[in-house]
Amino acid sequence: MADLTLESKEYDDETFKNIELAGALIEDRRFRDCSFVRCNLSDALLARCRFSDCEFIDCNLSLTKVTSSGFSAVTFTDCKMVGINWTDAYWSSIHMVGALSFIRCVLNDSTFFGLHLRELKLIDCRAVDVDFTGANCEDADFSHSDLRDSVFRQTRLARANFSEAKNYSINVFNNDIKRAKFTLPDAMSLLYSLDIELVE
């Protein structure tokens, strides 16, 4: 197992378990093929770090700051991730697909404003009051997620999967939803933007 002080600058194929780094400053570190299990990184500052092909399992990253940190093929499973501003992260001008995957996570009060998130996975998550304004979420998977009060405005959602997702509000006129997948009865919410009257 890797040392808990993160004294090294680069880590490959390491597993970090039960480490307590709440409020810590972690800067200029590189992690490749690493696993973080039941770690507490809440309110930590990740500055200029790079994570590639890493996984976070049952971790607390609430209010973590991701300043200039890069993420490539990173999966978060059963994590608490409230209040993260993902626009502060480093996003390459070469748009990578599938940079982030969230499985059964809590992502409330976060923002992905204007980001390139093709093939984003946000599956079975609680994503309340999350801002996707101007983001490219083509081919994304939002299935089984609760999207209450989340904002989709000028968001590219072509071929996105909203199967069994709930509580979303998507205006069909200011979002691109071509060939996106929805399931009833939640898909009825798409009619609200049509300025029509539904009668029983």
Side-chain angles (χ1 to χ4, degrees), residues 90-109:
Y90 169 78
W91 299 95
S92 173
S93 58
I94 301 174
H95 294 149
M96 305 295 291
V97 299
L100 297 172
S101 297
F102 304 98
I103 314 295
R104 297 185 303 277
C105 293
V106 179
L107 296 138
N108 301 350
D109 304 305

Side-chain angles (χ1 to χ4, degrees), residues 10-196:
E10 297 194 7
Y11 295 88
D12 291 280
D13 197 26
E14 297 277 9
T15 297
F16 302 87
K17 288 186 177 179
N18 300 306
I19 62 171
E20 180 65 42
L21 290 169
L25 169 62
I26 304 168
E27 57 183 339
D28 298 312
R29 299 294 192 272
R30 303 291 185 270
F31 301 91
R32 300 180 187 88
D33 296 299
C34 291
S35 297
F36 298 81
V37 183
R38 294 184 300 280
C39 297
N40 184 6
L41 293 157
S42 60
D43 205 30
L45 171 56
L46 307 179
R48 299 177 305 279
C49 295
R50 294 291 181 270
F51 299 87
S52 55
D53 298 292
C54 293
E55 61 178 358
F56 291 78
I57 301 171
D58 196 20
C59 293
N60 184 357
L61 296 101
S62 290
L63 301 178
T64 297
K65 298 170 186 65
V66 293
T67 307
S68 299
S69 289
F71 299 84
S72 175
V74 178
T75 299
F76 301 88
T77 304
D78 296 314
C79 292
K80 184 178 181 183
M81 311 182 69
V82 173
I84 296 178
N85 183 353
W86 289 95
T87 65
D88 287 339
Y90 169 78
W91 299 95
S92 173
S93 58
I94 301 174
H95 294 149
M96 305 295 291
V97 299
L100 297 172
S101 297
F102 304 98
I103 314 295
R104 297 185 303 277
C105 293
V106 179
L107 296 138
N108 301 350
D109 304 305
S110 297
T111 182
F112 295 94
F113 185 97
L115 297 181
H116 189 92
L117 300 168
R118 278 199 63 198
E119 297 187 15
L120 167 74
K121 288 183 173 57
L122 201 148
I123 301 171
D124 200 14
C125 291
R126 183 168 173 78
V128 174
D129 198 18
V130 176
D131 191 356
F132 294 98
T133 299
N136 182 349
C137 297
E138 292 180 348
D139 302 294
D141 190 346
F142 296 95
S143 59
H144 297 274
S145 290
D146 183 354
L147 297 161
R148 179 167 54 85
D149 296 327
S150 285
V151 179
F152 295 92
R153 186 179 298 116
Q154 296 182 336
T155 308
R156 296 170 66 177
L157 297 166
R159 300 172 302 281
N161 181 14
F162 287 87
S163 298
E164 306 300 331
K166 61 182 181 180
N167 297 324
Y168 49 81
S169 178
I170 300 173
N171 187 309
V172 299
F173 294 110
N174 66 25
N175 294 284
D176 177 6
I177 61 170
K178 290 192 296 289
R179 297 191 298 281
K181 183 185 297 183
F182 300 90
T183 49
L184 293 170
D186 296 279
M188 295 295 290
S189 68
L190 299 174
L191 298 176
Y192 297 153
S193 60
L194 298 178
D195 194 24
I196 62 175

